[in-house]
Amino acid sequence: MKGRKRRLLVDTLGLIVAVVVHGAGLQDRDGAKLLLERASADPALLDRLKKVWADGGYQGKLEDWVTEHYAFALEIVKRPADARGFTVLPHRWVVERTLAWLSRCRRFAKDYEYLPRVSEQLLLVAMIGLMVRRLAV
């Protein structure tokens, strides 16, 4: 998607807990702060969170910020130094799988929405549809 980035906070099953869509000019760490602030609107969620796994692009000041503001731990999933080519990283594949599920929706092939908030809501609607289809089986 050109010009926008999607940030997802998912549970261990890959179901969306929080989503933020913002301009592509925003750094990964700043986007993660927006996502965690959005997720912190639900105090019950914060009580259940114990650990959040994140990509290597989020390491640095974000780790200190999370330690300062939240009670859960932020763990960066790093790629092994001796790895060559494609490597499945533990816990990282859960988010990638969720993005693959969402990419099946034609609506997300291009960015048709003017407002990022509309994109966020459509991502949630797509996840609701996915969950309902799984319940029906």
Side-chain angles (χ1 to χ4, degrees), residues 1 4-8 19-22 58 99 102-103 107-111 119 123:
M1 181 176 0
R4 294 220 176 132
K5 287 187 180 179
R6 300 175 183 148
R7 305 270 175 224
L8 299 177
V19 62
V20 171
V21 177
H22 59 78
Y58 296 102
L99 291 170
L102 292 172
S103 70
R107 180 88 188 191
F108 303 127
K110 293 194 180 206
D111 189 18
S119 294
L123 284 166

Side-chain angles (χ1 to χ4, degrees), residues 2-88:
K2 245 181 161 179
R4 294 220 176 132
K5 287 187 180 179
R6 300 175 183 148
R7 305 270 175 224
L8 299 177
L9 180 64
V10 300
D11 62 6
T12 54
L13 297 175
L15 304 176
I16 294 178
V17 174
V19 62
V20 171
V21 177
H22 59 78
L26 197 62
Q27 283 257 339
D28 286 346
R29 290 178 292 275
D30 297 331
K33 287 180 184 178
L34 289 175
L35 179 64
L36 293 173
E37 287 169 356
R38 172 86 41 93
S40 67
D42 182 7
L45 170 68
L46 286 182
D47 291 340
R48 291 190 317 255
L49 276 178
K50 302 295 180 214
K51 185 181 286 192
V52 173
W53 289 291
D55 187 270
Y58 296 102
Q59 69 186 29
K61 294 180 182 178
L62 180 65
E63 295 170 289
D64 298 331
W65 184 83
V66 168
T67 304
E68 182 180 317
H69 288 86
Y70 299 106
F72 57 85
L74 178 70
E75 184 178 318
I76 304 298
V77 178
K78 295 181 182 171
R79 184 178 162 87
D82 60 343
R84 301 195 83 168
F86 176 75
T87 306
V88 176

Side-chain angles (χ1 to χ4, degrees), residues 118-129:
V118 174
S119 294
E120 293 171 2
Q121 299 304 314
L122 286 172
L123 284 166
L124 294 175
V125 168
M127 183 54 71
I128 290 169

